[in-house]
C-alpha cells in the first residue's frame, strides 16, 4: 500500500508540474498573439442618454454608426461654414444599443485570469 501511495504521489506531482508547464506555455502563446496584434486596443462605447439628459439634449443625431463598419464613428459637427463630418477609427465601436454581453464577447480573449499555480504534493 505504501509503495502504491508513493507511486501515486509521484504521478500526481508529475501531473502538477506538467500542468504548470502547460499553463506557462499557454501564457507565452497568448502574449505572442497579443504582440502580433499590437498590445494596445482602443474601444469606443457610446452609452445611451440618461432620462435626465433626454429632456435637455436633442439626442444623438450628431453621431453616425456605419452599419457595415463597426470600427468607425462619425460625428457631425456644427461649424460656421455648415456641418462638418469627423470620422474616428477604433479597434471596435459599440453603439448605445450594444449589450454588456456584446462588449464582453469582444474583449474576453484579451482578459487573462491569473490563477496561482497548484502546489506540488
Amino acid at each position: 500500500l505504501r509503495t502504491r501511495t508513493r507511486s501515486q504521489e509521484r504521478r500526481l506531482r508529475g501531473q502538477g508540474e506538467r500542468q504548470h508547464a502547460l499553463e506557462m506555455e499557454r501564457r507565452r502563446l497568448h502574449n505572442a498573439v497579443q504582440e502580433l496584434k499590437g498590445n494596445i486596443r482602443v474601444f469606443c462605447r457610446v452609452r445611451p442618454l440618461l432620462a435626465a439628459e433626454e429632456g435637455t439634449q436633442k439626442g444623438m443625431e450628431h453621431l453616425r454608426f456605419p452599419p457595415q463598419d463597426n470600427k468607425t464613428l462619425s460625428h457631425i459637427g456644427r461649424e460656421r461654414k455648415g456641418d462638418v463630418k469627423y470620422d474616428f477609427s477604433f479597434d471596435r465601436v459599440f453603439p448605445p444599443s450594444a449589450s454588456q454581453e456584446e462588449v464582453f464577447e469582444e474583449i474576453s480573449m484579451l482578459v487573462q485570469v491569473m490563477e496561482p499555480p497548484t502546489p506540488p504534493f
Side-chain angles (χ1 to χ4, degrees):
L1 186 59
R2 287 182 189 156
T3 304
R4 193 168 190 191
T5 302
R6 280 189 230 119
S7 173
Q8 292 292 345
E9 286 174 350
R10 278 195 300 275
R11 284 184 62 201
L12 188 58
R13 215 177 0 258
Q15 290 295 333
E17 291 169 2
R18 184 170 182 263
Q19 180 182 2
H20 179 71
L22 289 172
E23 175 63 17
M24 297 308 290
E25 177 69 4
R26 185 198 67 78
R27 287 183 186 178
R28 185 188 68 74
L29 291 172
H30 175 81
N31 290 337
V33 167
Q34 293 301 80
E35 281 187 35
L36 289 172
K37 287 182 171 179
N39 285 330
I40 297 175
R41 305 276 188 288
V42 180
F43 296 99
C44 173
R45 183 175 189 191
V46 179
R47 68 169 173 78
L49 290 176
L50 300 174
E53 295 170 329
E54 288 178 4
T56 60
Q57 295 185 12
K58 294 179 182 177
M60 293 194 197
E61 297 85 28
H62 61 288
L63 297 178
R64 302 280 185 268
F65 303 91
Q68 71 281 3
D69 181 10
N70 64 5
K71 297 180 182 229
T72 303
L73 170 67
S74 296
H75 175 270
I76 308 298
R78 306 241 184 256
E79 303 262 338
R80 291 183 195 159
K81 300 175 186 175
D83 291 350
V84 177
K85 180 180 172 187
Y86 299 97
D87 289 327
F88 300 94
S89 295
F90 300 92
D91 287 300
R92 178 70 195 267
V93 174
F94 298 96
S97 60
S99 67
Q100 289 290 93
E101 290 79 20
E102 288 178 72
V103 175
F104 180 76
E105 186 177 306
E106 182 70 29
I107 67 163
S108 64
M109 295 305 290
L110 301 174
V111 178
Q112 288 190 51
V113 177
M114 300 297 289
E115 296 181 21
T118 309
F121 289 88

